[in-house]
Amino acid sequence: MANKCLQYFALTIAVVGAINWGLIGFFNFNLVAFLFGSMSWLSRIVYGLVGLCGLYLLTFYTLIDQGEATE
């Protein structure tokens, strides 16, 4: 159960990060900086969480490999 919650949390934070990068790329609008201030301690925490969740989601590639091996 706890692992599943961590997976949902990591995926949600990574999606928020991806949306933020999309907004920056298309509209030059940084949602995190708008909400929490430009490089404030809170925005740095958000950026750090996005990075950590991205690293954690790299482990999902092993799940893909395991799924192909069982089929």
Short mmCIF file of all heavy atoms in Angstrom, two decimals:
data_model
loop_
_atom_site.label_atom_id
_atom_site.label_comp_id
_atom_site.label_asym_id
_atom_site.label_seq_id
_atom_site.Cartn_x
_atom_site.Cartn_y
_atom_site.Cartn_z
N MET A 1 0.82 -1.19 0.00
CA MET A 1 0.00 0.00 0.00
C MET A 1 0.87 1.26 0.00
O MET A 1 0.63 2.17 -0.76
CB MET A 1 -0.93 -0.04 1.21
CG MET A 1 -1.76 1.20 1.40
SD MET A 1 -3.05 1.29 0.17
CE MET A 1 -3.88 2.74 0.68
N ALA A 2 1.88 1.30 0.86
CA ALA A 2 2.73 2.48 0.95
C ALA A 2 3.50 2.69 -0.35
O ALA A 2 3.70 3.82 -0.78
CB ALA A 2 3.69 2.36 2.13
N ASN A 3 3.93 1.59 -0.98
CA ASN A 3 4.65 1.69 -2.24
C ASN A 3 3.75 2.27 -3.33
O ASN A 3 4.19 3.07 -4.15
CB ASN A 3 5.19 0.32 -2.65
CG ASN A 3 6.20 0.42 -3.76
OD1 ASN A 3 6.85 1.43 -3.94
ND2 ASN A 3 6.31 -0.65 -4.52
N LYS A 4 2.48 1.87 -3.34
CA LYS A 4 1.54 2.37 -4.33
C LYS A 4 1.29 3.87 -4.12
O LYS A 4 1.21 4.63 -5.08
CB LYS A 4 0.23 1.59 -4.26
CG LYS A 4 -0.67 1.82 -5.42
CD LYS A 4 -1.81 0.83 -5.41
CE LYS A 4 -2.52 0.88 -6.73
NZ LYS A 4 -3.45 -0.21 -6.91
N CYS A 5 1.20 4.31 -2.88
CA CYS A 5 1.03 5.73 -2.59
C CYS A 5 2.25 6.52 -3.05
O CYS A 5 2.11 7.61 -3.62
CB CYS A 5 0.80 5.95 -1.09
SG CYS A 5 -0.81 5.38 -0.52
N LEU A 6 3.44 5.97 -2.84
CA LEU A 6 4.66 6.63 -3.29
C LEU A 6 4.68 6.73 -4.81
O LEU A 6 5.07 7.76 -5.37
CB LEU A 6 5.89 5.87 -2.79
CG LEU A 6 7.25 6.40 -3.25
CD1 LEU A 6 7.47 7.82 -2.74
CD2 LEU A 6 8.36 5.48 -2.78
N GLN A 7 4.23 5.69 -5.49
CA GLN A 7 4.20 5.71 -6.94
C GLN A 7 3.23 6.77 -7.46
O GLN A 7 3.55 7.52 -8.38
CB GLN A 7 3.81 4.34 -7.49
CG GLN A 7 4.88 3.30 -7.27
CD GLN A 7 4.43 1.91 -7.66
OE1 GLN A 7 3.24 1.66 -7.86
NE2 GLN A 7 5.37 0.99 -7.74
N TYR A 8 2.05 6.86 -6.86
CA TYR A 8 1.08 7.88 -7.27
C TYR A 8 1.61 9.29 -6.97
O TYR A 8 1.44 10.20 -7.78
CB TYR A 8 -0.27 7.68 -6.59
CG TYR A 8 -1.14 6.65 -7.26
CD1 TYR A 8 -1.51 5.49 -6.60
CD2 TYR A 8 -1.59 6.83 -8.56
CE1 TYR A 8 -2.30 4.54 -7.20
CE2 TYR A 8 -2.39 5.88 -9.18
CZ TYR A 8 -2.74 4.75 -8.50
OH TYR A 8 -3.54 3.81 -9.12
N PHE A 9 2.24 9.46 -5.82
CA PHE A 9 2.81 10.76 -5.45
C PHE A 9 3.89 11.17 -6.44
O PHE A 9 3.88 12.29 -6.96
CB PHE A 9 3.37 10.71 -4.03
CG PHE A 9 4.05 11.99 -3.61
CD1 PHE A 9 3.30 13.09 -3.23
CD2 PHE A 9 5.43 12.09 -3.61
CE1 PHE A 9 3.93 14.27 -2.85
CE2 PHE A 9 6.07 13.26 -3.25
CZ PHE A 9 5.30 14.36 -2.86
N ALA A 10 4.80 10.24 -6.73
CA ALA A 10 5.89 10.55 -7.66
C ALA A 10 5.36 10.86 -9.05
O ALA A 10 5.82 11.80 -9.70
CB ALA A 10 6.87 9.37 -7.71
N LEU A 11 4.40 10.11 -9.49
CA LEU A 11 3.82 10.34 -10.81
C LEU A 11 3.11 11.69 -10.87
O LEU A 11 3.25 12.44 -11.83
CB LEU A 11 2.87 9.21 -11.18
CG LEU A 11 2.31 9.21 -12.59
CD1 LEU A 11 3.44 9.18 -13.61
CD2 LEU A 11 1.38 8.03 -12.79
N THR A 12 2.37 12.03 -9.83
CA THR A 12 1.66 13.31 -9.79
C THR A 12 2.62 14.48 -9.80
O THR A 12 2.44 15.44 -10.55
CB THR A 12 0.76 13.38 -8.54
OG1 THR A 12 -0.16 12.28 -8.57
CG2 THR A 12 0.00 14.68 -8.47
N ILE A 13 3.67 14.41 -8.99
CA ILE A 13 4.66 15.49 -8.94
C ILE A 13 5.39 15.60 -10.28
O ILE A 13 5.65 16.71 -10.77
CB ILE A 13 5.65 15.27 -7.78
CG1 ILE A 13 4.91 15.34 -6.44
CG2 ILE A 13 6.78 16.28 -7.82
CD1 ILE A 13 4.28 16.68 -6.13
N ALA A 14 5.70 14.48 -10.90
CA ALA A 14 6.37 14.51 -12.21
C ALA A 14 5.46 15.12 -13.27
O ALA A 14 5.93 15.87 -14.14
CB ALA A 14 6.82 13.11 -12.61
N VAL A 15 4.17 14.84 -13.21
CA VAL A 15 3.23 15.42 -14.16
C VAL A 15 3.14 16.94 -13.95
O VAL A 15 3.12 17.71 -14.91
CB VAL A 15 1.85 14.76 -14.04
CG1 VAL A 15 0.77 15.54 -14.77
CG2 VAL A 15 1.91 13.32 -14.57
N VAL A 16 3.11 17.36 -12.69
CA VAL A 16 3.10 18.81 -12.39
C VAL A 16 4.36 19.46 -12.97
O VAL A 16 4.29 20.53 -13.58
CB VAL A 16 2.99 19.05 -10.88
CG1 VAL A 16 3.28 20.50 -10.52
CG2 VAL A 16 1.62 18.64 -10.36
N GLY A 17 5.50 18.81 -12.81
CA GLY A 17 6.74 19.33 -13.38
C GLY A 17 6.69 19.39 -14.89
O GLY A 17 7.15 20.36 -15.50
N ALA A 18 6.13 18.37 -15.51
CA ALA A 18 6.03 18.35 -16.97
C ALA A 18 5.11 19.46 -17.47
O ALA A 18 5.40 20.12 -18.47
CB ALA A 18 5.53 16.99 -17.44
N ILE A 19 4.00 19.66 -16.78
CA ILE A 19 3.09 20.75 -17.16
C ILE A 19 3.78 22.09 -17.00
O ILE A 19 3.65 22.98 -17.86
CB ILE A 19 1.79 20.68 -16.33
CG1 ILE A 19 0.97 19.46 -16.76
CG2 ILE A 19 0.97 21.96 -16.47
CD1 ILE A 19 -0.20 19.15 -15.85
N ASN A 20 4.54 22.26 -15.93
CA ASN A 20 5.27 23.51 -15.72
C ASN A 20 6.26 23.75 -16.85
O ASN A 20 6.37 24.86 -17.38
CB ASN A 20 5.97 23.51 -14.36
CG ASN A 20 6.53 24.86 -14.01
OD1 ASN A 20 5.82 25.86 -14.05
ND2 ASN A 20 7.80 24.90 -13.67
N TRP A 21 7.00 22.70 -17.26
CA TRP A 21 7.95 22.86 -18.37
C TRP A 21 7.22 23.16 -19.67
O TRP A 21 7.72 23.93 -20.50
CB TRP A 21 8.82 21.60 -18.52
CG TRP A 21 10.00 21.64 -17.61
CD1 TRP A 21 10.20 20.88 -16.50
CD2 TRP A 21 11.12 22.51 -17.71
NE1 TRP A 21 11.38 21.22 -15.92
CE2 TRP A 21 11.97 22.22 -16.64
CE3 TRP A 21 11.49 23.50 -18.60
CZ2 TRP A 21 13.17 22.88 -16.43
CZ3 TRP A 21 12.69 24.16 -18.39
CH2 TRP A 21 13.51 23.84 -17.32
N GLY A 22 6.06 22.58 -19.87
CA GLY A 22 5.27 22.89 -21.05
C GLY A 22 4.83 24.35 -21.07
O GLY A 22 4.88 25.02 -22.11
N LEU A 23 4.40 24.85 -19.91
CA LEU A 23 4.02 26.26 -19.82
C LEU A 23 5.20 27.19 -20.08
O LEU A 23 5.05 28.22 -20.74
CB LEU A 23 3.42 26.55 -18.44
CG LEU A 23 2.04 25.98 -18.16
CD1 LEU A 23 1.67 26.16 -16.70
CD2 LEU A 23 1.01 26.62 -19.06
N ILE A 24 6.37 26.80 -19.58
CA ILE A 24 7.57 27.60 -19.83
C ILE A 24 7.91 27.59 -21.31
O ILE A 24 8.19 28.63 -21.91
CB ILE A 24 8.76 27.09 -18.99
CG1 ILE A 24 8.53 27.34 -17.50
CG2 ILE A 24 10.06 27.74 -19.45
CD1 ILE A 24 9.52 26.66 -16.58
N GLY A 25 7.86 26.43 -21.93
CA GLY A 25 8.23 26.31 -23.33
C GLY A 25 7.27 27.00 -24.28
O GLY A 25 7.68 27.66 -25.24
N PHE A 26 5.97 26.87 -24.04
CA PHE A 26 4.98 27.42 -24.96
C PHE A 26 4.63 28.88 -24.68
O PHE A 26 4.36 29.65 -25.60
CB PHE A 26 3.70 26.58 -24.95
CG PHE A 26 3.87 25.24 -25.59
CD1 PHE A 26 3.64 24.08 -24.86
CD2 PHE A 26 4.24 25.12 -26.91
CE1 PHE A 26 3.78 22.84 -25.45
CE2 PHE A 26 4.40 23.88 -27.51
CZ PHE A 26 4.16 22.74 -26.78
N PHE A 27 4.58 29.25 -23.40
CA PHE A 27 4.07 30.58 -23.05
C PHE A 27 5.05 31.42 -22.23
O PHE A 27 4.69 32.51 -21.80
CB PHE A 27 2.77 30.44 -22.26
CG PHE A 27 1.73 29.63 -22.99
CD1 PHE A 27 1.36 28.38 -22.53
CD2 PHE A 27 1.12 30.13 -24.13
CE1 PHE A 27 0.40 27.63 -23.19
CE2 PHE A 27 0.17 29.39 -24.80
CZ PHE A 27 -0.20 28.15 -24.34
N ASN A 28 6.25 30.90 -21.96
CA ASN A 28 7.23 31.59 -21.13
C ASN A 28 6.62 31.96 -19.77
O ASN A 28 6.82 33.07 -19.27
CB ASN A 28 7.80 32.82 -21.85
CG ASN A 28 9.08 33.32 -21.21
OD1 ASN A 28 9.79 32.55 -20.57
ND2 ASN A 28 9.36 34.59 -21.37
N PHE A 29 5.85 31.04 -19.21
CA PHE A 29 5.18 31.25 -17.93
C PHE A 29 5.59 30.14 -16.97
O PHE A 29 5.30 28.97 -17.21
CB PHE A 29 3.66 31.26 -18.10
CG PHE A 29 2.91 31.43 -16.81
CD1 PHE A 29 2.90 32.65 -16.16
CD2 PHE A 29 2.23 30.36 -16.26
CE1 PHE A 29 2.22 32.80 -14.96
CE2 PHE A 29 1.54 30.50 -15.07
CZ PHE A 29 1.54 31.72 -14.42
N ASN A 30 6.25 30.51 -15.88
CA ASN A 30 6.69 29.54 -14.88
C ASN A 30 5.67 29.52 -13.75
O ASN A 30 5.59 30.44 -12.94
CB ASN A 30 8.07 29.92 -14.35
CG ASN A 30 8.66 28.87 -13.47
OD1 ASN A 30 7.95 28.04 -12.91
ND2 ASN A 30 9.97 28.90 -13.32
N LEU A 31 4.86 28.47 -13.71
CA LEU A 31 3.78 28.37 -12.73
C LEU A 31 4.32 28.28 -11.30
O LEU A 31 3.77 28.89 -10.39
CB LEU A 31 2.90 27.15 -13.04
CG LEU A 31 1.69 26.93 -12.13
CD1 LEU A 31 0.73 28.10 -12.25
CD2 LEU A 31 1.00 25.63 -12.49
N VAL A 32 5.39 27.54 -11.11
CA VAL A 32 5.97 27.38 -9.76
C VAL A 32 6.47 28.73 -9.26
O VAL A 32 6.20 29.11 -8.11
CB VAL A 32 7.09 26.32 -9.76
CG1 VAL A 32 7.79 26.28 -8.41
CG2 VAL A 32 6.53 24.96 -10.12
N ALA A 33 7.17 29.48 -10.10
CA ALA A 33 7.66 30.80 -9.69
C ALA A 33 6.50 31.75 -9.45
O ALA A 33 6.54 32.58 -8.54
CB ALA A 33 8.59 31.37 -10.75
N PHE A 34 5.44 31.63 -10.24
CA PHE A 34 4.26 32.47 -10.06
C PHE A 34 3.58 32.20 -8.72
O PHE A 34 3.18 33.13 -8.02
CB PHE A 34 3.27 32.25 -11.22
CG PHE A 34 1.99 33.01 -11.09
CD1 PHE A 34 1.96 34.36 -11.37
CD2 PHE A 34 0.82 32.37 -10.70
CE1 PHE A 34 0.77 35.08 -11.26
CE2 PHE A 34 -0.36 33.07 -10.59
CZ PHE A 34 -0.39 34.43 -10.88
N LEU A 35 3.46 30.92 -8.37
CA LEU A 35 2.77 30.55 -7.13
C LEU A 35 3.62 30.77 -5.88
O LEU A 35 3.10 31.20 -4.84
CB LEU A 35 2.32 29.09 -7.19
CG LEU A 35 1.24 28.75 -8.21
CD1 LEU A 35 0.99 27.25 -8.22
CD2 LEU A 35 -0.05 29.51 -7.89
N PHE A 36 4.92 30.46 -5.96
CA PHE A 36 5.74 30.44 -4.75
C PHE A 36 6.88 31.46 -4.75
O PHE A 36 7.61 31.55 -3.78
CB PHE A 36 6.34 29.04 -4.56
CG PHE A 36 5.29 27.96 -4.47
CD1 PHE A 36 5.23 26.97 -5.43
CD2 PHE A 36 4.38 27.95 -3.44
CE1 PHE A 36 4.27 25.97 -5.36
CE2 PHE A 36 3.41 26.96 -3.35
CZ PHE A 36 3.36 25.98 -4.31
N GLY A 37 7.05 32.21 -5.83
CA GLY A 37 8.13 33.18 -5.90
C GLY A 37 9.32 32.60 -6.65
O GLY A 37 9.54 31.40 -6.66
N SER A 38 10.06 33.50 -7.26
CA SER A 38 11.21 33.07 -8.06
C SER A 38 12.34 32.61 -7.14
O SER A 38 12.94 33.40 -6.42
CB SER A 38 11.68 34.22 -8.95
OG SER A 38 12.77 33.82 -9.72
N MET A 39 12.61 31.32 -7.18
CA MET A 39 13.67 30.67 -6.40
C MET A 39 13.58 30.95 -4.89
O MET A 39 14.58 31.06 -4.21
CB MET A 39 15.05 31.05 -6.93
CG MET A 39 15.31 30.50 -8.32
SD MET A 39 14.89 28.75 -8.55
CE MET A 39 16.19 27.96 -7.64
N SER A 40 12.34 31.02 -4.39
CA SER A 40 12.14 31.07 -2.95
C SER A 40 12.43 29.68 -2.38
O SER A 40 12.58 28.71 -3.13
CB SER A 40 10.71 31.49 -2.62
OG SER A 40 9.79 30.48 -3.00
N TRP A 41 12.48 29.57 -1.08
CA TRP A 41 12.76 28.26 -0.48
C TRP A 41 11.66 27.27 -0.82
O TRP A 41 11.92 26.09 -1.02
CB TRP A 41 12.98 28.38 1.03
CG TRP A 41 11.77 28.85 1.78
CD1 TRP A 41 11.40 30.15 2.02
CD2 TRP A 41 10.75 28.04 2.35
NE1 TRP A 41 10.22 30.18 2.72
CE2 TRP A 41 9.79 28.90 2.94
CE3 TRP A 41 10.54 26.66 2.44
CZ2 TRP A 41 8.66 28.44 3.59
CZ3 TRP A 41 9.41 26.21 3.10
CH2 TRP A 41 8.49 27.09 3.66
N LEU A 42 10.42 27.75 -0.94
CA LEU A 42 9.31 26.84 -1.26
C LEU A 42 9.39 26.37 -2.72
O LEU A 42 9.17 25.19 -3.00
CB LEU A 42 7.98 27.55 -1.00
CG LEU A 42 6.75 26.69 -0.87
CD1 LEU A 42 6.96 25.54 0.12
CD2 LEU A 42 5.56 27.51 -0.46
N SER A 43 9.71 27.27 -3.62
CA SER A 43 9.84 26.85 -5.02
C SER A 43 11.03 25.92 -5.20
O SER A 43 10.97 24.98 -6.00
CB SER A 43 9.96 28.06 -5.95
OG SER A 43 11.14 28.78 -5.72
N ARG A 44 12.10 26.13 -4.44
CA ARG A 44 13.25 25.22 -4.52
C ARG A 44 12.87 23.82 -4.02
O ARG A 44 13.35 22.81 -4.56
CB ARG A 44 14.42 25.78 -3.74
CG ARG A 44 15.01 27.02 -4.40
CD ARG A 44 16.08 27.65 -3.54
NE ARG A 44 17.23 26.78 -3.41
CZ ARG A 44 18.34 26.88 -4.14
NH1 ARG A 44 18.42 27.83 -5.06
NH2 ARG A 44 19.34 26.07 -3.95
N ILE A 45 12.01 23.74 -3.02
CA ILE A 45 11.52 22.45 -2.54
C ILE A 45 10.71 21.76 -3.63
O ILE A 45 10.87 20.56 -3.87
CB ILE A 45 10.71 22.62 -1.24
CG1 ILE A 45 11.63 23.00 -0.08
CG2 ILE A 45 9.91 21.36 -0.91
CD1 ILE A 45 10.91 23.38 1.19
N VAL A 46 9.84 22.53 -4.29
CA VAL A 46 9.02 21.95 -5.37
C VAL A 46 9.93 21.43 -6.49
O VAL A 46 9.76 20.31 -6.97
CB VAL A 46 8.01 22.98 -5.90
CG1 VAL A 46 7.32 22.47 -7.16
CG2 VAL A 46 6.99 23.33 -4.84
N TYR A 47 10.91 22.24 -6.90
CA TYR A 47 11.83 21.80 -7.96
C TYR A 47 12.61 20.56 -7.52
O TYR A 47 12.83 19.64 -8.31
CB TYR A 47 12.81 22.92 -8.33
CG TYR A 47 12.17 24.09 -9.02
CD1 TYR A 47 12.45 25.38 -8.62
CD2 TYR A 47 11.31 23.91 -10.10
CE1 TYR A 47 11.88 26.47 -9.26
CE2 TYR A 47 10.74 24.99 -10.74
CZ TYR A 47 11.03 26.26 -10.32
OH TYR A 47 10.47 27.33 -10.96
N GLY A 48 13.03 20.54 -6.26
CA GLY A 48 13.74 19.38 -5.74
C GLY A 48 12.89 18.13 -5.74
O GLY A 48 13.34 17.04 -6.11
N LEU A 49 11.61 18.27 -5.33
CA LEU A 49 10.70 17.13 -5.34
C LEU A 49 10.46 16.61 -6.76
O LEU A 49 10.40 15.40 -6.98
CB LEU A 49 9.36 17.51 -4.70
CG LEU A 49 9.32 17.55 -3.19
CD1 LEU A 49 7.98 18.07 -2.70
CD2 LEU A 49 9.58 16.17 -2.60
N VAL A 50 10.32 17.52 -7.71
CA VAL A 50 10.13 17.11 -9.10
C VAL A 50 11.34 16.30 -9.57
O VAL A 50 11.20 15.25 -10.20
CB VAL A 50 9.88 18.32 -10.02
CG1 VAL A 50 9.95 17.93 -11.49
CG2 VAL A 50 8.53 18.95 -9.70
N GLY A 51 12.54 16.78 -9.24
CA GLY A 51 13.75 16.06 -9.62
C GLY A 51 13.85 14.69 -8.97
O GLY A 51 14.17 13.70 -9.63
N LEU A 52 13.57 14.62 -7.68
CA LEU A 52 13.62 13.34 -6.98
C LEU A 52 12.59 12.36 -7.51
O LEU A 52 12.87 11.17 -7.67
CB LEU A 52 13.43 13.54 -5.47
CG LEU A 52 14.58 14.21 -4.74
CD1 LEU A 52 14.18 14.50 -3.29
CD2 LEU A 52 15.81 13.34 -4.78
N CYS A 53 11.39 12.86 -7.80
CA CYS A 53 10.35 11.99 -8.33
C CYS A 53 10.73 11.49 -9.73
O CYS A 53 10.45 10.35 -10.07
CB CYS A 53 9.01 12.71 -8.36
SG CYS A 53 8.33 12.98 -6.71
N GLY A 54 11.36 12.35 -10.51
CA GLY A 54 11.83 11.92 -11.83
C GLY A 54 12.85 10.81 -11.72
O GLY A 54 12.81 9.83 -12.47
N LEU A 55 13.76 10.96 -10.78
CA LEU A 55 14.75 9.89 -10.56
C LEU A 55 14.09 8.60 -10.10
O LEU A 55 14.46 7.51 -10.54
CB LEU A 55 15.80 10.35 -9.54
CG LEU A 55 16.76 11.43 -10.01
CD1 LEU A 55 17.63 11.90 -8.84
CD2 LEU A 55 17.61 10.93 -11.16
N TYR A 56 13.12 8.72 -9.21
CA TYR A 56 12.40 7.53 -8.74
C TYR A 56 11.66 6.86 -9.90
O TYR A 56 11.65 5.63 -10.00
CB TYR A 56 11.43 7.91 -7.63
CG TYR A 56 10.54 6.76 -7.20
CD1 TYR A 56 11.06 5.68 -6.51
CD2 TYR A 56 9.18 6.76 -7.50
CE1 TYR A 56 10.26 4.63 -6.13
CE2 TYR A 56 8.38 5.71 -7.13
CZ TYR A 56 8.91 4.65 -6.44
OH TYR A 56 8.12 3.60 -6.07
N LEU A 57 11.07 7.66 -10.78
CA LEU A 57 10.31 7.09 -11.89
C LEU A 57 11.21 6.38 -12.90
O LEU A 57 10.72 5.58 -13.70
CB LEU A 57 9.48 8.17 -12.58
CG LEU A 57 8.31 8.70 -11.75
CD1 LEU A 57 7.61 9.83 -12.49
CD2 LEU A 57 7.33 7.60 -11.42
N LEU A 58 12.50 6.64 -12.88
CA LEU A 58 13.42 5.88 -13.73
C LEU A 58 13.37 4.39 -13.40
O LEU A 58 13.60 3.55 -14.27
CB LEU A 58 14.85 6.39 -13.56
CG LEU A 58 15.19 7.71 -14.24
CD1 LEU A 58 16.60 8.13 -13.85
CD2 LEU A 58 15.07 7.58 -15.74
N THR A 59 13.06 4.07 -12.15
CA THR A 59 12.98 2.66 -11.76
C THR A 59 11.79 1.95 -12.41
O THR A 59 11.75 0.73 -12.45
CB THR A 59 12.88 2.50 -10.23
OG1 THR A 59 11.65 3.08 -9.77
CG2 THR A 59 14.05 3.17 -9.53
N PHE A 60 10.84 2.71 -12.95
CA PHE A 60 9.69 2.10 -13.60
C PHE A 60 10.09 1.36 -14.88
O PHE A 60 9.36 0.51 -15.36
CB PHE A 60 8.63 3.15 -13.91
CG PHE A 60 7.81 3.56 -12.70
CD1 PHE A 60 8.33 3.53 -11.42
CD2 PHE A 60 6.52 3.98 -12.87
CE1 PHE A 60 7.59 3.91 -10.33
CE2 PHE A 60 5.76 4.37 -11.77
CZ PHE A 60 6.29 4.33 -10.51
N TYR A 61 11.24 1.73 -15.45
CA TYR A 61 11.71 1.01 -16.64
C TYR A 61 11.95 -0.46 -16.34
O TYR A 61 11.77 -1.31 -17.21
CB TYR A 61 12.98 1.65 -17.20
CG TYR A 61 12.71 2.92 -17.96
CD1 TYR A 61 13.13 4.14 -17.47
CD2 TYR A 61 12.05 2.89 -19.18
CE1 TYR A 61 12.87 5.30 -18.17
CE2 TYR A 61 11.79 4.05 -19.88
CZ TYR A 61 12.21 5.25 -19.38
OH TYR A 61 11.95 6.41 -20.06
N THR A 62 12.35 -0.78 -15.12
CA THR A 62 12.52 -2.19 -14.77
C THR A 62 11.20 -2.91 -14.73
O THR A 62 11.13 -4.11 -15.04
CB THR A 62 13.25 -2.33 -13.40
OG1 THR A 62 12.45 -1.72 -12.39
CG2 THR A 62 14.62 -1.70 -13.44
N LEU A 63 10.13 -2.21 -14.41
CA LEU A 63 8.80 -2.82 -14.42
C LEU A 63 8.37 -3.17 -15.84
O LEU A 63 7.75 -4.19 -16.07
CB LEU A 63 7.77 -1.89 -13.78
CG LEU A 63 7.98 -1.55 -12.31
CD1 LEU A 63 6.95 -0.53 -11.84
CD2 LEU A 63 7.93 -2.80 -11.46
N ILE A 64 8.75 -2.33 -16.79
CA ILE A 64 8.43 -2.60 -18.19
C ILE A 64 9.17 -3.85 -18.66
O ILE A 64 8.61 -4.71 -19.31
CB ILE A 64 8.79 -1.38 -19.07
CG1 ILE A 64 7.91 -0.19 -18.72
CG2 ILE A 64 8.67 -1.73 -20.55
CD1 ILE A 64 8.33 1.10 -19.36
N ASP A 65 10.46 -3.94 -18.29
CA ASP A 65 11.24 -5.11 -18.67
C ASP A 65 10.67 -6.38 -18.06
O ASP A 65 10.62 -7.42 -18.70
CB ASP A 65 12.69 -4.95 -18.24
CG ASP A 65 13.41 -3.88 -19.05
OD1 ASP A 65 12.93 -3.56 -20.15
OD2 ASP A 65 14.43 -3.37 -18.56
N GLN A 66 10.22 -6.31 -16.81
CA GLN A 66 9.65 -7.49 -16.16
C GLN A 66 8.35 -7.89 -16.82
O GLN A 66 8.06 -9.08 -16.95
CB GLN A 66 9.40 -7.21 -14.67
CG GLN A 66 10.66 -7.09 -13.86
CD GLN A 66 10.38 -6.65 -12.43
OE1 GLN A 66 9.24 -6.39 -12.06
NE2 GLN A 66 11.42 -6.58 -11.63
N GLY A 67 7.56 -6.93 -17.26
CA GLY A 67 6.30 -7.23 -17.93
C GLY A 67 6.50 -7.94 -19.24
O GLY A 67 5.77 -8.85 -19.60
N GLU A 68 7.54 -7.56 -19.98
CA GLU A 68 7.82 -8.21 -21.26
C GLU A 68 8.37 -9.61 -21.06
O GLU A 68 8.14 -10.49 -21.86
CB GLU A 68 8.80 -7.37 -22.07
CG GLU A 68 8.21 -6.08 -22.58
CD GLU A 68 9.21 -5.23 -23.32
OE1 GLU A 68 10.38 -5.63 -23.43
OE2 GLU A 68 8.83 -4.15 -23.78
N ALA A 69 9.09 -9.83 -19.97
CA ALA A 69 9.70 -11.12 -19.73
C ALA A 69 8.62 -12.17 -19.37
O ALA A 69 8.78 -13.34 -19.65
CB ALA A 69 10.73 -11.03 -18.60
N THR A 70 7.52 -11.74 -18.75
CA THR A 70 6.50 -12.68 -18.33
C THR A 70 5.52 -13.01 -19.43
O THR A 70 4.80 -13.99 -19.35
CB THR A 70 5.72 -12.15 -17.10
OG1 THR A 70 5.13 -10.90 -17.47
CG2 THR A 70 6.64 -11.98 -15.92
N GLU A 71 5.48 -12.22 -20.48
CA GLU A 71 4.51 -12.48 -21.56
C GLU A 71 5.04 -13.44 -22.57
O GLU A 71 6.13 -13.71 -22.78
CB GLU A 71 4.15 -11.15 -22.26
CG GLU A 71 3.35 -10.27 -21.35
CD GLU A 71 2.98 -8.95 -22.03
OE1 GLU A 71 3.19 -8.82 -23.26
OE2 GLU A 71 2.50 -8.08 -21.36
#
